[in-house]
Amino acid sequence: RDYYKILKEVKVLSSNEERLLNETLILFEMNGMNLSEGDLNKYKILADRFTQLSVQFDQNLNGDTSSVSFSDVELKGVKEDFLKRLKKDDKGQYIVTTKAPDYIHVMENASNAETRKKMLFAYENRQAEKNTTILQEAIQVRADMGKLMGFETFADYSLRNKMAGNKKVVFDFLNGLKTRLAAKNKTEVSVLAAFKKKELKDSSPLVAWDIAY
């Protein structure tokens, strides 16, 4: 904070120096140096809490042990070596974990669409209950940080020292990109749907669990 106070009093001689000084002051201010002692302490508590939540979120995913059990028929198409290394449950079905190697292999090789669907849902919902609670709190913590720093949202606060400047510019860019890519996306989906119909003899709509396969 002492450095921030000193920099606030610096007199610059050129436009380059002024730009460097302003950017440096913004960095200090984005870390709460322009806040009162009370608000700065609140900001530090919120920042620490967000870090804790982020770490816990990742730990939950890394420690996840969820799995899905499949029969021989359901795993038709996967490699023999893959089947050999899988354990079986008490019903004799293969246990496929949601770890990346298992997930990717099933999604790319299992010919049974329902198997791929189950695998996708299991993978995307790892630690869903715990991490949804964490995510909800993290969103609120970030919102509180943004408001404490004097911004309407955390997005506005985060974009202060970035080229976009504010969330409106970002949304305008993304919406424009969405419009431009819509036609290309439609074409690519049509190509994949046609490939599915030809190779799998399946004329049903293309779904998320078809893509990797």
Side-chain angles (χ1 to χ4, degrees):
R1 187 185 285 273
D2 290 337
Y3 288 121
Y4 175 70
K5 291 179 179 178
I6 292 172
L7 287 174
K8 288 282 286 184
E9 302 301 322
V10 169
K11 305 298 182 183
V12 295
L13 299 176
S14 68
S15 58
N16 287 336
E17 289 179 344
E18 182 178 11
R19 179 182 177 185
L20 176 61
L21 177 61
N22 288 337
E23 290 178 352
T24 303
L25 288 173
I26 287 174
L27 288 175
F28 273 104
E29 290 169 1
M30 290 191 71
N31 284 284
M33 294 298 101
N34 59 330
L35 299 176
S36 66
E37 284 297 330
D39 283 345
L40 179 57
N41 286 332
K42 290 179 183 178
Y43 175 83
K44 289 178 179 179
I45 291 172
L46 289 169
D48 287 344
R49 181 55 180 160
F50 183 79
T51 298
Q52 293 170 3
L53 292 169
S54 298
V55 170
Q56 187 60 59
F57 188 96
D58 290 337
Q59 286 179 344
N60 288 343
L61 286 179
N62 292 334
D64 180 73
T65 59
S66 59
S67 62
V68 188
S69 293
F70 295 110
S71 66
D72 287 331
V73 175
E74 290 175 309
L75 287 177
K76 183 180 179 181
V78 303
K79 307 299 182 185
E80 189 63 31
D81 288 345
F82 177 76
L83 282 179
K84 287 180 179 179
R85 71 171 179 77
L86 295 179
K87 295 180 179 179
K88 291 186 176 182
D89 61 19
D90 54 6
K91 295 181 180 179
Q93 292 194 314
Y94 291 100
I95 300 172
V96 182
T97 74
T98 53
K99 298 298 183 183
D102 284 8
Y103 168 73
I104 292 172
H105 187 88
V106 170
M107 296 304 293
E108 291 182 346
N109 296 282
S111 58
N112 189 312
E114 191 62 28
T115 296
R116 300 195 304 273
K117 178 180 179 180
K118 289 180 181 178
M119 199 71 234
L120 177 65
F121 274 68
Y123 182 80
E124 295 294 348
N125 284 285
R126 291 167 297 152
Q127 296 295 307
E129 185 174 349
K130 290 181 180 179
N131 278 357
T132 296
T133 300
I134 289 175
L135 193 57
Q136 288 171 336
E137 183 180 351
I139 291 171
Q140 186 58 56
V141 167
R142 276 194 159 187
D144 292 342
M145 289 172 68
K147 287 183 171 59
L148 189 62
M149 298 298 282
F151 293 86
E152 181 183 358
T153 67
F154 182 84
D156 291 309
Y157 158 64
S158 177
L159 290 166
R160 183 185 177 190
N161 67 335
K162 295 182 175 65
M163 185 180 295
N166 60 71
K167 63 179 182 292
K168 182 182 183 303
V169 174
V170 174
F171 279 122
D172 286 346
F173 170 77
L174 291 176
N175 286 329
L177 194 62
K178 178 182 177 182
T179 299
R180 292 195 297 273
L181 292 177
K184 183 174 178 60
N185 176 69
K186 185 176 181 179
T187 300
E188 291 181 350
V189 168
S190 296
V191 170
L192 288 173
F195 181 82
K196 176 181 178 180
K197 183 177 181 179
K198 178 182 177 182
E199 297 297 324
L200 305 181
K201 310 303 183 206
D202 185 350
S203 58
S204 62
L206 191 73
V207 287
W209 47 92
D210 289 331
I211 305 301
Y213 182 71

